[in-house]
Amino acid sequence: MRSTSKQSAATLVVAWNDTLSSREAMDFIFARELFMASRALHQVPAVASALADSTRDTESRVKLVDDLFGGKISDDVHNILHSAASLPWSADEDLVETVENLGIRSVLHYSGQDGRLNAVEDELHQVRRVLTAQTALRVTLSTFEDYSVEARQELARNVFSSISEEAQILLAQAVQTADVRPVTDSLVRMIVLAAKASNTFAAAVWSATELTKEQKTRLASALSALYKKKIVIYTTVDPTIVGGLKVQCGSEVIDASLLSRINNVREKIVGGAAQVSPIR
């Protein structure tokens, strides 16, 4: 996200945390409503664009929220969507992603109330590791063109039947948004948010091959020194990056992969070629 969206997202997070802290457990109603809202906005890009369009007056953007969700969601979720529509955004997808993140934070908040936050984070990490190792299962859960959302979510529930209700809800959301991003990437985002909620700092790391224990230790130490806090890393093998590493700490991405370097060189070559005048 760019700075404008980051500031708006931060404003919503503070407001939503205040709401969650002042309410008793709602049996994940808030989370389900926010996931429904983010899904609706994703499926109708024109609506998301209208809500994020700061050139439109605030009143019309807020009214659009009423037209879309009036009577379908709780007052608290309705109010936070009003706030989202009133804030400026750098890109439409930033608003949609932020609404989804509020749903994730709702699940994590109630996990924390029950003292289960670290356990849910560990469960998400275990699911991610299984999906990383089991290509066929990962592909099936992500293949939205061939299988319905309901069928893929049922498969996920059956395969990971031993995990908590909180982790089940988050996994179902990751499967739901497979047309937006890979399931494992959604899980990484959820793990990072869980780590923040538990006052730890997590870094997602992608490498072309499996890192050794020594390499993971050195990387964690280097990141801890860089950010001046203890870093827990979660690794994913992704052969498409060819070589090197890609690291995500919160919203910051450090891309030192060979694929990134190749793409940079390609862009420079193409850009240079475009600037060369033809010989006459």
Side-chain angles (χ1 to χ4, degrees):
M1 290 186 187
R2 295 182 179 178
S3 59
T4 299
S5 288
K6 285 183 179 180
Q7 291 173 8
S8 295
T11 298
L12 288 179
V13 167
V14 170
W16 189 239
N17 284 344
D18 288 343
T19 297
L20 293 176
S21 298
S22 65
R23 301 290 186 273
E24 296 182 358
M26 296 287 290
D27 191 27
F28 308 113
I29 291 174
F30 285 167
R32 290 190 171 96
E33 290 180 346
L34 287 162
F35 290 153
M36 180 273 290
S38 65
R39 187 62 183 172
L41 295 178
H42 169 72
Q43 290 179 325
V44 189
V47 174
S49 178
L51 288 179
D53 185 1
S54 58
T55 64
R56 293 168 57 102
D57 63 275
T58 301
E59 184 178 349
S60 67
R61 293 158 69 187
V62 169
K63 183 178 183 303
L64 184 54
V65 170
D66 294 337
D67 293 341
L68 284 170
F69 303 111
K72 301 176 183 177
I73 55 179
S74 61
D75 289 343
D76 288 307
V77 172
H78 201 138
N79 289 338
I80 201 68
L81 292 180
H82 273 178
S83 297
S86 303
L87 292 167
W89 300 92
S90 306
D92 309 345
E93 57 267 24
D94 294 343
L95 184 155
V96 180
E97 180 181 319
T98 298
V99 172
E100 181 188 4
N101 282 349
L102 294 179
I104 296 170
R105 289 175 183 276
S106 300
V107 176
L108 298 175
H109 174 81
Y110 295 127
S111 300
Q113 286 187 325
D114 293 337
R116 289 191 37 78
L117 184 55
N118 289 333
V120 171
E121 181 184 344
D122 288 342
E123 287 176 329
L124 293 173
H125 182 46
Q126 291 167 14
V127 171
R128 188 192 65 84
R129 283 193 299 183
V130 170
L131 294 181
T132 300
Q134 301 293 329
T135 303
L137 176 59
R138 184 177 71 252
V139 170
T140 300
L141 292 180
S142 299
T143 308
F144 59 90
E145 301 95 336
D146 298 331
Y147 306 103
S148 69
V149 170
E150 294 76 17
R152 289 183 286 117
Q153 288 176 330
E154 183 178 2
L155 174 61
R157 281 193 299 271
N158 291 335
V159 172
F160 299 103
S161 58
S162 62
I163 62 177
S164 65
E165 182 182 7
E166 297 97 322
Q168 287 278 9
I169 291 171
L170 294 174
L171 175 57
Q173 176 63 13
V175 172
Q176 171 84 61
T177 56
D179 58 335
V180 180
R181 69 187 73 86
V183 173
T184 48
D185 283 5
S186 288
L187 291 172
V188 166
R189 292 173 64 240
M190 293 169 179
I191 290 167
V192 169
L193 288 175
K196 285 184 177 180
S198 61
N199 294 318
T200 58
F201 203 69
V205 179
W206 291 265
S207 59
T209 58
E210 184 69 39
L211 298 180
T212 65
K213 184 177 181 180
E214 181 182 359
Q215 288 173 323
K216 292 177 183 178
T217 300
R218 289 206 309 267
L219 179 59
S221 297
L223 291 172
S224 296
L226 176 64
Y227 289 99
K228 295 181 173 55
K229 60 182 70 178
K230 181 176 174 57
I231 302 289
V232 178
I233 67 170
Y234 295 97
T235 60
T236 299
V237 175
D238 181 3
T240 64
I241 70 172
V242 185
L245 297 173
K246 179 180 177 181
V247 181
Q248 179 176 352
C249 294
S251 60
E252 184 174 353
V253 177
I254 305 170
D255 194 343
S257 66
L258 183 55
L259 176 61
S260 175
R261 297 177 204 169
I262 292 172
N263 287 338
N264 286 339
V265 171
R266 181 182 294 118
E267 289 175 4
K268 289 179 180 178
I269 292 174
V270 172
Q275 295 174 17
V276 175
S277 301
I279 298 176
R280 297 184 182 278

